[in-house]
Structure formats: C-alpha cells, structure tokens
C-alpha cells in the first residue's frame, strides 16, 4: 500500500497533514530486482532535504566524479583530513539508478560512493566503501512540476558514513550546483503517522515489535520510555481504527495514538502525550526524530521513500 | 613468572584510569612502597603497565595475586558490571555462627569436586561483604581468567549479588556452591537487576528512607513553594502543587533514593477503550513490553507528577519498586471483582 501526503497548510510551524492514500500507485520501483536495492536496506540513513540542482547533467557523471575526487583531495591537503594516521586515497563513483524512482516524472536517483584504498596495501587489494549517499525523488511530481528548465529535482538526500565525508560531498554539490542541503528533522506528528501506517502493514514473515520511544529530558533526571507492542496486537488495533477505505486521516492516526496512550496511562498514570516521541520502530522501517531512518523491508520501500520525499519537499517549500 | 599471568596483569592495569593506578596498586599491597616509588606515572599507560609487570616479575607473582588485583579493580569499578540479586532460604530458624574459614573451605570444596580447573579468590571488605571471584575452566582447559564470575555475599543476610560470567552454564554450579558453603537449602533469583551494587544493597537491606506517614492532621507545606515576594503574583494551583508534593513524600520519602537505571514491565492485560471509540475489543491480552530507563530512575519518576507529566499518586506499579525489591515485572489482568486491578505474579 502506497500512501501520499498532501500538506494542509503551508505553515512550517504547524504541519497539518491530510493523508490520502490511493490504491497502490504503480511505480517503476516495484518491478526492480531485489538485488539492486539491497544496499538500501538495513542501513541507518541520515536524511536531508536538497533544493533543486542547477545545470546538473546526467551525461557528465564521470567528469563530476573526477572533480569531486579532486575537491576531496584538495581539502585533505588543506588539513581538513578525515582520517587521522592512515593516508587514504578516496575514489569517487557517481551512478545513476534509473529504476529508483516513482514515476517517469521523477528524476532517477543518483548514488555517490566514496571508497578508499590504503596506500600501504598492495595494488590488488579491493576498494573499501567508506561512505555512500544518494539523491532521490519518489513521486515528487507536485514539486518538480513547478520548477524551471535548468533545474533537476531530487529533494531527498540520504547519507551513510562519517559526517566529515557528508560535509565534503555536500559542500561540493552546494558549490557546483547552487543547491542547499538541510538536515531533515522528523516531528513527533510525522513519527506518529509513520508508526500508525507501518504498524498496519501486512507482512508475510514474523514481524518485530512496534516500538515507540519517548524522551522526557527536562526532569531532575532524564527519563526514556520504550513502549513496545506485539506486532499482531498493534495491527489488530490499527485495523479497527482505520475505517475509511482508500484513505488514512489525521483523525485515525490520533485515535490510534490515543488508544496507545490510554492503555499506558491506565497502568502507569503517566501522560505519554506530554512527553516527546523521539523514535518509532516497526518491521517495515524505523525512524528517529533527528532525521535518521532504517528501511527493513523491500516490499514497502516505495511507500517509505514516498513519505520521506514528501517530508523533504515540505521542508524546502 | 608465567607469561599468561604477566599478560593478565598488564591488561588489568591498562583498564585502570591513569590517576587511579597508584592507589589501586597500594590497595593490592603486592608491590612494596619502595617499588611503587620507582614507577613513573607520567607516561602513557602502556608503559606504566609494562613497568608494573616487570616489578611483578621481580616478586614472582602468580595467578592468585593477579586474581586479587582483579577483585580490587572490580570492587573499585563495580558499577561497570550488571548485578543480579539472589535470595537464599534456610530450612530452620537457627542462626548459625558464621565462620569465614569454613565457608571458604566448603565453597572451594564444592566447586573443585565438580570442576578441576577453577581459580577461586576471596577478599573481605569492611562492610561485611565477601567478594568471591571464580574463573572457570574445563577438564582439559585452564581457567579463562578474562570471563570470571563475581559474587558479593553479606554473611549476615540471605542475599547474594552475582555478576555472572558470560559462560552462563556455570551459574547453577556457582549457586550450589554458595548454598552448601553458607548452609542454605534453596536459592532463587529476584527480579532485581542494576549496575549500581550499592543501590541494590540499599533496596534489599532496606537502607533507604522509606515511606513515612504524616499523622499530623494539618497539611504539610509544600517544600518546593517559594514564598511570594510580590503580592501581585499569585501562584496558580498552589494547593494542587502541595498535594502532589505531599503524596510524593509519602510514597518516595524525603531522603535519597536507591539508584536504579531501569525497570521493565511485561504487560499481558486487556485493552480497554471507550465504547464510543469502537475500536479493538479483543478477548485476548494486548501484549506490550515497557522499559523505563534513566541515570536515576526513582528520582525521575518522583519528578514526573510535579512536572505535570503524570497523575499523583503515581501508579503503584512504579512506586512499589523499592519495597518490593524488584525492577522486572510481568503484569496480568486480575480476574474477578476488580477488573481495574493488576496482579504481578
């Protein structure tokens, strides 16, 4: 089941999502070989929103890779070394992933990989992947529609690896294509959407628990609360809440969360709604409020990416 | 000196923060004060530990002395380990005279009769605590000194604190040896675990200030309320704040609370909702696992109601932790007259 979010108001402060999901929106990614997307799964990706790239040309990927590689080498010589001690030669690879997109209107995803080969080791040694990042647009048509010709829309960026490399790659892209990267935080509101939607997903294998993590920092001693529900029971609850066919509403998400809060309050007399929801975790995916996600199941990959693309777009607008 | 002993001493010293090395070596007492004077503590730890090993070589240290150093390290940094609490039961009421020598002999005897290769070390501390370190081997292998079990036994009590080796199969034998040596016939694990050994002791020995009932009929003035400086400022909900404060005092006491880091609840209760909401109405339990964690759990729970995040009084499921001496719970629905109540088996 693929869902799409449409922003109710433009106000950045008060995001009020009115979710409607269509019957599964047929996309290019659905038919992709599981092998190709295996690299996405089970990794913690840090999320960013990226404004459109100016004068980015797919045909020039090899040239861009060379330029980025030179940039990284130059920065290291300046003393902004990323690895202390061992001298590493960083190799850059830029790949276009034609199948990693929602529709024909989306730009194909762009994968950036940094590999190292230690100078000390022999010529035959394999390169070691030290950092990867990819730009993506999953059904981001609303956004790309309104954009001028010279611009390429890939609003979602995901990185995995040392932050120092992310900074290097990000600065090069910003300088070269006049774009802007911003960390994508995920609000408690969006996290509750995610947990409600993902808890309702049907999975063929035994699933892991539906877990919500709350943080209460401003006490005399900080407190963390982990509330994990058996996946069958969480799904059973969501199935009775989610009544409108073909649609998920804010109200239904609220009812689902209120039920969980009420069950908790009955036992512990604590108002979870007064605490901060910082992380949600299900068998489909997990997400942290600092903008870190892990996608665990290839079946729901398009849906998750679509949701994240929407979040990125709303941060840009 | 055996190479493995040298390596073990070297690695043990490496674990100690540089500023603490001299003090722990002094506590150990194996190296003379004169020898300690020759050590240069202003170099990198790698070199310090090498020098210590050389001095131990001069004194011909063996595994027994090295094991004592390990106990001293673990006693100083006891909070690095996770401690489980066990309670032993006696068959009769008779209070037997505890003889430490008999205890040690019986303990060693029981272990050695089952396992040839064990290293057993004892150290007594002032608070009547006996620290026992056991390194486990097999009939064919020498004891693994890097995965020992630690036991802390207070002889005047039925309580034992165990930080197990990762070699889980050794636990039953360890328990047996304890029972035999201390003359108890049964031992069971309590649902109480923490890194803070002292807090566990506070809880089972009831060393913290417990609930006290205020018998005085007049209300206790909220201790946290500041006297108003400006009469134009009126504090809202003053009586509510005072009520919460008073309830907190009754439940948690006013003294320092034992330091626990977490509490875990396995819930197998029914999901109940407002019938108007027309949601889940299963006849089976709504299975959840709830974990609370904090650097000082009881203090943070105590501050929830004053912060407006919880009702006062707080749920007995949370407030019972110290006096029930447990932080692991399994909660089921109570059948019969009181559907709102819970039982904790």
């Amino acid at each position: 089941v693929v869902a799409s979010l449409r922003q109710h108001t433009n106000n950045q402060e008060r995001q009020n999502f009115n979710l409607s999901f269509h019957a599964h929106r047929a996309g290019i990614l659905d038919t992709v070989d599981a092998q190709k997307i295996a690299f996405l799964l089970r990794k913690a990706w840090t999320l960013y929103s990226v404004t459109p790239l100016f004068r980015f040309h797919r045909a020039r990927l090899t040239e861009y890779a060379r330029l980025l590689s030179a940039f990284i080498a130059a920065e290291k010589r300046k003393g902004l070394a990323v690895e202390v001690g061992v001298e590493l030669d960083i190799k850059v690879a830029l790949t276009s992933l034609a199948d990693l997109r929602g529709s024909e209107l989306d730009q194909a995803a762009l994968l950036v990989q940094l590999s190292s080969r230690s100078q000390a080791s022999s010529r035959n040694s394999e390169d070691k992947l030290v950092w990867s990042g990819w730009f993506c647009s999953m059904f981001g048509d609303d956004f790309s529609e309104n954009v001028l010709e010279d611009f390429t829309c890939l609003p979602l960026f995901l990185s995995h690896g040392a932050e120092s490399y992310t900074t290097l790659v990000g600065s090069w892209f910003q300088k070269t294509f006049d774009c802007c990267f911003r960390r994508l935080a995920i609000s408690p509101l969006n996290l509750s959407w995610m947990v409600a939607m993902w808890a309702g997903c049907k999975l063929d294998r035994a699933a892991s628990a539906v877990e919500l993590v709350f943080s209460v920092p401003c006490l005399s001693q900080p407190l963390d609360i982990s509330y994990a529900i058996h996946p069958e029971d969480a799904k059973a609850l969501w199935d009775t809440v989610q009544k409108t066919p073909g649609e998920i509403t804010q109200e239904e998400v609220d009812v689902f969360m209120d039920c969980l809060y009420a069950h908790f309050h009955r036992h512990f007399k604590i108002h979870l709604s007064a605490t901060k929801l910082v992380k949600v975790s299900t068998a489909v995916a997990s997400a942290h409020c600092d903008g870190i996600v892990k996608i665990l199941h290839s079946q729901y990959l398009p849906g998750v990416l679509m949701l994240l693309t929407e979040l990125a777009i709303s941060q840009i607008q | 000196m055996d190479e493995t002993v040298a390596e073990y001493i070297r690695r043990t010293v490496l674990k100690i923060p540089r500023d603490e090395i001299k003090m722990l070596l002094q506590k150990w007492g194996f190296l003379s004060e004169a020898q300690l004077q020759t050590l240069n503590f202003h170099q990198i730890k790698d070199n310090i530990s090498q020098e210590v090993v050389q001095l131990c070589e001069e004194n011909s240290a063996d595994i027994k002395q090295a094991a004592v150093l390990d106990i001293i390290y673990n006693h100083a940094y006891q909070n690095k380990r996770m401690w489980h609490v066990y309670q032993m039961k006696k068959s009769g009421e008779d209070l037997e005279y505890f003889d430490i020598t008999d205890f040690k002999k019986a303990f060693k005897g029981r272990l050695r009769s089952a396992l040839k290769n064990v290293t057993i070390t004892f150290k007594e501390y002032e608070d009547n605590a006996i620290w026992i370190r056991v390194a486990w081997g097999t009939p064919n292998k020498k004891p693994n000194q890097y995965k020992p079990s630690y036991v802390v036994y207070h002889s005047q009590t039925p309580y034992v604190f165990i930080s197990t080796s990762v070699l889980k199969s050794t636990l039953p034998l360890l328990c047996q040896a304890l029972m035999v040596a201390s003359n108890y016939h049964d031992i069971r694990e309590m649902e109480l675990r923490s890194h803070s050994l002292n807090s566990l002791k506070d809880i089972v020995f009831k060393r913290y200030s417990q609930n006290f009932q205020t018998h005085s009929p007049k209300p206790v003035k909220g201790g946290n309320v500041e006297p108003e400086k400006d009469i134009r400022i009126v504090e809202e909900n003053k009586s509510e704040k005072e009520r919460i404060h008073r309830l907190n005092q009754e439940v948690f006491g006013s003294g320092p609370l034992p330091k626990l880091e977490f509490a875990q609840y396995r819930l197998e209760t029914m999901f109940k909702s407002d019938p108007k909401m027309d949601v889940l109405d299963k006849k089976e339990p709504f299975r959840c696992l709830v974990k609370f964690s904090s650097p000082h759990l009881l203090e943070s729970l105590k501050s929830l109601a004053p912060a407006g995040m919880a009702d006062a009084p707080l749920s007995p499921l949370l407030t019972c932790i110290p006096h029930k001496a447990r932080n692991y719970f399994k909660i089921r629905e109570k059948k019969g007259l009181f559907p709102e109540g819970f039982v904790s088996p």
Side-chain angles (χ1 to χ4, degrees):
Chain A
V1 161
V2 168
S4 97
L5 298 158
R6 222 171 298 130
Q7 203 177 348
H8 201 56
T9 66
N10 263 330
N11 190 343
Q12 285 274 354
E13 300 303 290
R14 229 182 117 260
Q15 286 180 322
N16 202 353
F17 285 92
N18 198 352
L19 180 89
S20 69
F21 73 58
H22 320 291
H24 181 86
R25 199 172 158 183
I28 297 174
L29 186 52
D30 299 334
T31 52
V32 159
D33 185 3
Q35 285 274 32
K36 282 195 185 169
I37 54 168
F39 80 96
L40 300 179
L41 303 177
R42 287 174 293 276
K43 271 202 184 73
W45 296 101
T46 306
L47 306 176
Y48 297 80
S49 65
V50 186
T51 56
L53 306 171
F54 183 61
R55 296 216 174 127
F56 170 80
H57 302 285
R58 289 259 171 198
R60 298 210 201 137
L61 291 187
T62 337
E63 185 193 330
Y64 293 150
R66 198 177 37 82
L67 290 171
L68 177 52
S69 186
F71 175 75
I72 294 176
E75 292 295 298
K76 283 176 75 183
R77 274 197 299 274
K78 270 199 241 171
L80 300 158
V82 286
E83 291 277 335
V84 177
V86 182
E87 260 312 299
L88 292 174
D89 241 348
I90 298 292
K91 231 180 64 171
V92 175
L94 253 60
T95 333
S96 218
L97 302 169
D99 297 330
L100 199 44
R101 58 175 144 171
S103 72
E104 288 296 337
L105 297 171
D106 285 310
Q107 286 284 333
L110 175 68
L111 175 64
V112 184
Q113 288 170 306
L114 302 185
S115 316
S116 75
R117 185 188 294 147
S118 169
Q119 284 178 356
S121 54
S122 71
R123 214 172 301 146
N124 300 331
S125 67
E126 271 181 29
D127 292 338
K128 188 177 146 209
L129 183 65
V130 294
W131 181 94
S132 41
W134 49 293
F135 298 82
C136 157
S137 175
M138 186 66 54
F139 294 114
D141 346 332
D142 284 349
F143 184 54
S144 45
E145 264 170 12
N146 304 325
V147 143
L148 304 170
E149 258 195 47
D150 284 327
F151 286 91
T152 307
C153 286
L154 286 164
L156 181 65
F157 180 70
L158 306 91
S159 76
H160 177 83
E163 198 171 324
S164 47
Y165 287 126
T166 312
T167 314
L168 279 176
V169 173
S171 350
W172 184 83
F173 271 88
Q174 289 187 146
K175 264 184 9 171
T176 314
F177 303 108
D178 201 21
C179 59
C180 180
F181 285 72
R182 257 180 70 198
R183 275 293 289 265
L184 186 63
I186 308 179
S187 67
L189 179 71
N190 293 332
L191 287 176
S192 51
W193 273 105
M194 291 176 187
V195 74
M197 277 170 45
W198 297 341
C201 290
K202 203 156 82 131
L203 289 171
D204 41 8
R205 290 196 308 268
S208 53
V210 171
E211 188 193 3
L212 299 91
V213 180
F214 300 85
S215 164
V216 194
C218 6
L219 297 172
S220 58
Q221 291 281 345
L223 177 67
D224 285 324
I225 304 173
S226 157
Y227 184 10
I229 303 137
H230 193 287
E232 285 169 15
D233 299 345
K235 180 159 174 19
L237 175 63
W238 175 247
D239 287 345
T240 63
V241 169
Q242 205 273 303
K243 296 191 191 342
T244 347
E247 209 178 304
I248 296 179
T249 62
Q250 177 69 61
E251 203 191 315
E252 284 163 352
V253 174
D254 288 342
V255 168
F256 180 72
M257 295 302 287
D258 285 341
C259 286
L260 296 181
Y261 292 157
H263 186 74
F264 191 90
H265 183 268
R266 185 161 85 91
H267 293 74
F268 300 104
K269 299 280 180 268
I270 297 176
H271 303 290
L272 280 179
S273 48
T275 67
K276 183 177 180 207
L277 179 58
V278 294
K279 182 177 175 188
V280 298
S281 193
T282 67
V284 170
S286 68
H288 188 281
C289 63
D290 288 344
I292 302 172
V293 296
K294 220 187 230 186
I295 307 169
L296 301 164
H297 214 278
S298 58
Q299 187 184 348
Y300 292 98
L301 180 63
V304 174
L305 289 179
M306 187 164 151
L307 205 145
L308 296 177
T309 304
E310 294 279 0
L311 284 182
I313 290 172
S314 64
Q315 178 164 281
I316 295 169
Q317 285 174 332
Chain B
M1 181 165 75
D2 192 321
E3 229 175 68
T4 56
V5 173
E7 179 61 11
Y8 186 69
I9 293 176
R10 189 187 74 82
R11 289 213 208 175
T12 307
V13 174
L14 268 181
K15 288 195 292 192
I16 309 172
R18 197 160 53 156
D19 301 334
E20 311 283 308
I21 297 178
K22 182 167 185 185
M23 181 194 54
L24 288 188
L25 290 177
Q26 281 169 332
K27 284 204 171 125
W28 188 31
F30 178 68
L31 300 174
S32 70
E33 193 57 43
Q35 283 176 306
L36 289 179
Q37 295 291 355
T38 67
L39 287 170
N40 173 13
F41 293 102
H42 298 297
Q43 49 183 339
I44 59 169
K45 279 211 292 191
D46 256 331
N47 297 349
I48 301 178
S49 60
Q50 294 285 13
E51 284 185 16
V52 170
V53 168
Q54 274 175 322
L55 292 175
C56 291
E57 176 86 55
E58 284 172 22
N59 293 12
S60 306
D62 64 16
I63 193 60
K64 288 206 260 290
Q65 280 102 13
V68 172
L69 179 61
D70 185 50
I71 290 192
I72 289 172
Y73 169 79
N74 279 284
H75 179 267
Y77 298 101
Q78 52 193 243
N79 295 343
K80 285 194 173 205
R81 307 195 75 92
M82 176 69 88
W83 297 95
H84 297 231
V85 188
Y86 290 76
Q87 185 177 23
M88 296 192 284
K89 280 194 169 55
K90 256 197 217 299
S91 40
E93 273 304 317
D94 34 342
L95 220 58
E96 284 145 17
Y97 174 68
F98 179 81
D99 185 284
I100 182 82
T101 328
D102 290 342
F103 173 83
K104 290 185 194 177
K105 202 161 128 201
F107 184 84
K108 283 196 281 202
R110 183 69 191 86
L111 279 187
R112 293 225 166 95
S113 68
L115 218 53
K116 289 284 178 294
N117 283 319
V118 275
T119 310
I120 307 170
T121 320
F122 299 90
K123 185 156 171 63
E124 292 147 73
Y125 283 90
E126 315 73 41
D127 58 344
N128 274 325
I130 303 166
W131 276 63
I132 313 172
R133 175 188 181 279
V134 182
W136 308 89
T138 68
N140 305 316
K141 281 204 306 217
K142 287 212 310 192
N144 184 342
Q145 302 297 340
Y146 296 91
K147 295 187 177 158
S149 305
Y150 299 90
V151 177
V152 179
Y153 175 48
H154 285 250
S155 54
Q156 305 308 318
T157 77
Y159 296 104
V160 190
F161 306 90
I162 302 182
S163 176
T164 44
S165 156
V166 292
L167 310 165
K168 290 273 183 301
S169 56
T170 59
L171 187 59
L173 184 54
L174 185 62
C175 290
Q176 261 186 35
L178 280 166
M179 281 194 286
V180 161
S182 57
N183 254 310
Y184 284 85
H185 77 272
D186 194 15
I187 184 169
R188 70 167 185 108
E189 185 179 355
M190 294 173 68
E191 300 285 351
L192 184 60
R193 279 162 236 180
S194 177
H195 283 280
S196 171
L197 181 57
N198 272 335
S199 294
L200 292 175
K201 293 187 191 184
D202 285 346
I203 291 175
V204 295
F205 302 152
K206 310 236 180 290
R207 300 194 303 210
Y208 60 98
S209 70
Q210 301 179 63
N211 316 352
F212 57 89
Q213 303 290 39
T214 47
H215 291 293
S216 61
K218 67 178 189 324
V220 176
K221 284 263 185 301
N224 295 336
V225 177
E226 302 275 294
E228 281 121 49
K229 299 206 171 63
D230 186 342
I231 50 165
R232 289 171 299 177
I233 301 173
V234 171
E235 195 169 317
E236 283 179 24
N237 304 324
K238 185 169 171 176
S239 58
E240 177 64 10
K241 284 202 171 104
E242 282 172 359
R243 183 187 78 93
I244 292 174
H245 183 78
R246 180 172 44 85
L247 286 170
N248 257 356
Q249 292 280 69
E250 282 178 13
V251 162
F252 290 104
S254 53
L257 291 163
K259 200 167 190 223
L260 291 173
E261 308 95 46
F262 51 82
Q264 180 178 295
Y265 298 80
R266 193 167 283 285
L267 303 180
E268 284 168 13
T269 50
M270 307 301 284
F271 179 81
K272 289 202 175 74
S273 66
D274 189 339
K276 282 195 300 234
M277 290 210 283
D278 190 19
V279 292
L280 191 67
D281 188 24
K282 265 169 59 159
K283 298 301 168 216
E284 280 117 54
F286 192 69
R287 294 162 286 181
C288 307
L289 186 67
V290 175
K291 281 190 231 183
F292 295 89
S293 36
S294 167
H296 196 327
L297 181 66
L298 295 174
E299 274 299 328
S300 70
L301 292 177
K302 184 176 175 180
S303 53
L304 280 174
M309 313 249 187
D311 300 340
L314 203 57
S315 161
L317 288 182
L318 295 168
T319 57
C320 75
I321 292 173
H323 66 258
K324 277 214 169 149
R326 62 188 301 177
N327 58 357
Y328 278 73
F329 298 81
K330 199 167 182 183
I331 311 293
R332 286 197 318 255
E333 203 77 55
K334 196 175 195 169
K335 292 184 172 58
L337 296 172
F338 305 104
E340 286 306 305
F342 305 118
V343 276
S344 176

